[in-house]
């Protein structure tokens, strides 16, 4: 650093960066923070594998919880299975669903899982973070199945 040639309005020091700043090494999502290997593998997997993984996870959530609007849940599951992004109006309705389950946090996670899974592209992988909380007791089994899908894909 040097103050030579510095603009007096800018302050007394000039900063010169040598080289480049490395990208943030943290995973790109909350799911990646807790499951970095599975997150990276799913993001790198072909779209059909991600879709199958999300469909498996969403089915686990819809099997465990009952929701206030069966038709809307059916649309969400079908969209995830087919790899479609739902319209924002429909996704908004999903975000306002009520789930019946053991406690508020798991119910909220179940709704968030459906909402996130119907989003766009690889960002939908973030739904798995909500699935982890919604089906906590069954997560180890579901996680093994997700790894199996990635390996086979």
């Amino acid at each position: 650093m040097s103050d030579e040639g510095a603009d007096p309005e800018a302050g007394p020091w000039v900063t010169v960066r040598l080289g480049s700043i490395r990208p943030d090494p943290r995973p790109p999502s909350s799911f990646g923070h807790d499951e970095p290997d599975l997150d990276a593998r799913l993001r790198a997997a072909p779209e059909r594998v991600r879709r199958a993984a999300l469909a498996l996870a969403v089915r686990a959530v819809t099997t465990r919880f009952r929701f206030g609007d069966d038709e809307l849940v059916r649309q969400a599951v079908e969209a995830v299975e087919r790899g479609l992004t739902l319209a924002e109006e429909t996704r908004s309705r999903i975000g306002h669903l009520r789930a019946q389950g053991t406690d508020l946090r798991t119910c909220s996670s179940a709704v968030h899982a459906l909402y996130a899974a119907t989003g766009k592209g690889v960002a939908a992988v973030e739904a798995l973070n909500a699935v982890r909380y919604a089906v906590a007791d069954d997560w180890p089994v579901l996680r093994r199945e997700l790894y199996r899908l990635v390996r086979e894909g």
Side-chain angles (χ1 to χ4, degrees):
M1 293 194 287
S2 166
D3 64 356
E4 186 177 323
D7 178 358
E9 298 293 319
W13 298 101
V14 174
T15 304
V16 177
R17 180 174 46 131
L18 302 175
S20 62
I21 297 174
R22 293 177 49 185
D24 189 346
R26 292 177 296 181
S29 69
S30 296
F31 181 65
H33 178 74
D34 293 319
E35 296 280 352
D37 184 62
L38 185 55
D39 180 74
R41 289 173 188 261
L42 284 168
R43 288 176 187 277
E47 188 269 335
R48 65 181 171 70
V49 172
R50 277 193 307 276
R51 182 175 9 143
L54 285 169
L56 180 67
V58 165
R59 277 190 236 107
V61 168
T62 58
T63 299
R64 177 172 268 200
F65 294 87
R66 294 196 43 79
F67 297 89
D69 185 339
D70 290 338
E71 177 58 25
L72 184 58
V73 171
R74 186 194 61 70
Q75 285 178 359
V77 171
E78 187 176 289
V80 170
E81 290 174 342
R82 295 177 57 204
L84 303 174
T85 302
L86 291 177
E88 276 308 311
E89 176 196 337
T90 306
R91 289 187 76 222
S92 177
R93 287 180 35 226
I94 290 171
H96 291 94
L97 278 173
R98 297 275 185 237
Q100 296 174 351
T102 56
D103 62 52
L104 182 60
R105 182 176 184 197
T106 58
C107 290
S108 176
S109 293
V111 170
H112 182 67
L114 285 178
Y115 176 82
T118 57
K120 293 183 180 177
V122 236
V125 170
E126 187 59 24
L128 294 174
N129 196 48
V131 171
R132 281 180 59 242
Y133 290 108
V135 298
D137 296 343
D138 296 330
W139 176 247
V141 173
L142 181 56
R143 185 176 184 261
R144 280 193 297 276
E145 281 298 303
L146 294 170
Y147 267 111
R148 184 189 57 74
L149 282 173
V150 170
R151 278 192 307 275
E152 290 175 0

